[in-house]
Amino acid sequence: MFPHRLAQVLSAAAIALAVTTYTARPQDIQVERIDIFDAGIYCADTVQKVPDPTAPGGHRNVVVNQKLMRRTNQIPAVIGTRFGMRYAIVGAPDGAPIDQRLVTRLPSPGLQEPSGRTILVNEYNYGASIGANGYREYHLEYDWEALPGVWVFELWANERKFAEQPFNLFKPQPGQKRNAVPCAPIVSSIATPKTALPN
C-alpha cells in the first residue's frame, strides 16, 4: 500500500508524460474527473519499501505486477490481503502535470501502531499527469493493520477531491474461509522497478 500498504503505480507511458517538461499555463490545465475502476482484492509484487515517517509503520511500498483477483468492496481483514483500485485522470490538455493528493480515512479507533501512535487519516502528495492511469492499494501485513470497518480512499487533484472509494473490512467468522486469494510473499523480490513509483 505499511508498514503502510498504500501504493501508487503509473504505466511507463504515463511516467514519461509526467517527467516531460510541459509548456501549458497552469490556468489552462483542467482536471475534469478521476474515474475509479477495478476496485477489489489484488495480488502484486512488492519490490521496494520507501521510508516515510508519516505513513503507518514508517514506510510505503513500491509494487509491480498488479493483478485484480476479485471485484468487491468487501475485504477480509486478514494478514496478507491486498486491496485497492485502478483509476484514470481525465482532463485537458493531455499529459499536463498536476498535483495529486492521496488520502486514506480509517474507521475508529484508527490504526494503533506498536509505537503508540494512532492514525485515523493518512495522506501524501504525488506528482501525476492528465491522461495517466494509476493504481492504489493497501497491503495488510501486521495484526494491528487488520482494522475492521469502512476504509475510504480519496483522490484529490489541485486541492479538490474528485473521487473516493470505500472498502468494508470485516473479520471472518469462525469456520469461514479466511483468504481465498493466495498471493506472492510480502516482498517477492528486491529490484529496481521499471514501471512503478514510490507511493
Side-chain angles (χ1 to χ4, degrees):
M1 158 355 183
F2 293 114
H4 193 17
R5 305 303 150 241
L6 289 178
Q8 167 74 13
V9 181
L10 298 177
S11 67
I15 293 170
L17 287 172
V19 299
T20 301
T21 301
Y22 207 88
T23 57
R25 297 174 300 174
Q27 60 267 33
D28 295 333
I29 299 173
Q30 298 292 328
V31 177
E32 296 176 10
R33 65 184 190 275
I34 299 179
D35 295 332
I36 293 174
F37 57 99
D38 286 350
I41 298 174
Y42 278 81
C43 285
D45 294 333
T46 299
V47 295
Q48 186 179 356
K49 294 182 180 294
V50 179
D52 181 351
T54 70
H59 69 272
R60 303 186 187 278
N61 288 344
V62 177
V63 302
V64 295
N65 302 325
Q66 309 86 12
K67 182 179 180 180
L68 177 66
M69 305 304 292
R70 184 183 306 145
R71 287 186 179 87
T72 181
N73 65 355
Q74 301 299 308
I75 310 297
V78 174
I79 303 306
T81 302
R82 192 187 293 265
F83 63 98
M85 74 240 188
R86 301 182 189 277
Y87 62 90
I89 303 171
V90 180
D94 195 54
I98 62 169
D99 293 324
Q100 186 177 24
R101 182 153 51 100
L102 309 179
V103 179
T104 303
R105 300 193 185 277
L106 301 157
S108 178
L111 294 179
Q112 309 292 318
E113 289 187 308
S115 66
R117 181 172 64 158
T118 298
I119 299 177
L120 282 165
V121 179
N122 180 253
E123 62 182 74
Y124 62 100
N125 294 324
Y126 191 85
S129 62
I130 292 176
N133 287 340
Y135 168 74
R136 187 177 176 199
E137 69 159 43
Y138 200 99
H139 189 189
L140 303 175
E141 296 186 35
Y142 295 89
D143 288 340
W144 54 268
E145 293 181 296
L147 175 66
V150 177
W151 296 44
V152 181
F153 291 177
E154 296 179 354
L155 300 176
W156 294 62
N158 298 337
E159 299 303 317
R160 175 185 167 191
K161 186 175 80 170
F162 280 88
E164 65 177 40
Q165 174 63 53
F167 292 97
N168 181 48
L169 272 65
F170 65 92
K171 291 286 189 182
Q173 298 299 313
Q176 184 178 359
K177 196 169 185 179
R178 292 174 60 82
N179 190 359
V181 183
C183 287
I186 292 175
V187 179
S188 57
S189 62
I190 299 297
T192 302
K194 296 181 180 179
T195 61
L197 293 178
N199 52 49

